[in-house]
Amino acid sequence: MSPLRAWSEPLAEHIVGTYFALRAAMAIMAVGLPLLLVAWSLLDPDLPVLGSMSEYYYSPARDVFVGVLSGTGIALICYRGHGPLENRLLNAAGAFLVVVALVPTDPPGQSDFGLRMTVHAVAAVAFFVSFAVSVWRCADDTLDPSRDSERRIRRYRRAYRVVAVVVVVAPASALALVLVLRQGALAVLVVEAVAVITFGAYWTLKSYELRGTELAEQP
């Protein structure tokens, strides 16, 4: 083995490990955010369960809400998609998510749907739409070099279609509820949590799929 190859193989292993660690971090942050916010309310007698995750901006859990969303958004921007289209869509999704974190919704109990709330809502919908399009259009790209059975590949394809649909339908439903109710409600929090947890579950499932492809072994 040449000295160059002996040096490059540990580096490639390190790069692949960092790649999967970044994916795992996004999954953990996404799945953990709604669970952590609700747990905070259950443990803090002065903080009831709020009507949406965004309303936690006006609670003691603000730093958690802003930090997790900002961290996930930055990770999406730093993450390199499998192809140019996926990369651009995930960059856009990450930028929109940072806007969601930094431009808050209206305070709980305020019924006016003003400019700030509009920017927040549009950015949130744009984040989920950008991510859903990336899944719908690009998630199948890594299945061609897969060593998995045809049956399992078909299951992956179906799962990715379900993810793309859920992460659009769930936040759209949440926005519709907000527009009708003029404020958050438990139903809004639930459908938001479904969308965010589905986002996190995708990164877990996709990482599992990638470990069964030839791409994970390439330096």
Side-chain angles (χ1 to χ4, degrees):
M1 179 182 295
S2 68
L4 179 60
R5 183 171 180 80
W7 174 84
S8 63
E9 287 184 353
L11 177 60
E13 183 178 349
H14 172 74
I15 292 172
V16 171
T18 301
Y19 171 83
F20 280 105
L22 178 61
R23 298 177 65 90
M26 287 192 283
I28 292 170
M29 286 190 289
V31 174
L33 178 60
L35 301 179
L36 184 57
L37 294 178
V38 172
W40 195 310
S41 289
L42 296 177
L43 295 173
D44 186 348
D46 296 325
L47 179 63
V49 176
L50 300 179
S52 71
M53 288 194 295
S54 295
E55 289 185 2
Y56 279 89
Y57 182 91
Y58 298 98
S59 77
R62 173 191 293 185
D63 291 346
V64 172
F65 174 78
V66 174
V68 169
L69 291 189
S70 298
T72 304
I74 293 171
L76 283 169
I77 294 171
C78 294
Y79 178 85
R80 184 174 180 179
H82 182 59
L85 178 60
E86 183 183 31
N87 198 51
R88 288 194 293 268
L89 288 169
L90 293 180
N91 285 346
F96 287 128
L97 193 56
V98 172
V99 174
V100 172
L102 300 182
V103 180
T105 184
D106 291 333
Q110 182 173 321
S111 59
D112 295 336
F113 204 92
L115 177 60
R116 181 176 59 186
M117 179 63 177
T118 300
V119 172
H120 180 87
V122 169
V125 172
F127 157 68
F128 283 112
V129 170
S130 299
F131 175 70
V133 173
S134 75
V135 174
W136 189 275
R137 293 287 305 276
C138 307
D140 291 356
D141 293 350
T142 56
L143 290 175
D144 290 336
S146 177
R147 298 189 300 267
D148 286 321
S149 66
E150 287 297 325
R151 183 179 181 183
R152 177 170 288 185
I153 289 174
R154 286 195 299 270
R155 288 178 177 175
Y156 282 131
R157 294 186 194 278
R158 287 196 295 268
Y160 296 150
R161 295 295 182 268
V162 171
V163 167
V165 171
V166 170
V167 296
V168 170
V169 172
S173 300
L175 179 59
L177 287 170
V178 170
L179 291 173
V180 171
L181 300 175
R182 309 304 297 178
Q183 60 183 353
L186 181 59
V188 176
L189 179 64
V190 169
V191 292
E192 283 181 342
V194 168
V196 172
I197 290 174
T198 301
F199 168 85
Y202 166 79
W203 290 102
T204 302
L205 177 63
K206 190 66 179 177
S207 294
Y208 182 78
E209 178 241 307
L210 284 172
R211 290 189 182 277
T213 70
E214 297 171 2
L215 297 172
E217 298 179 353
Q218 294 178 4

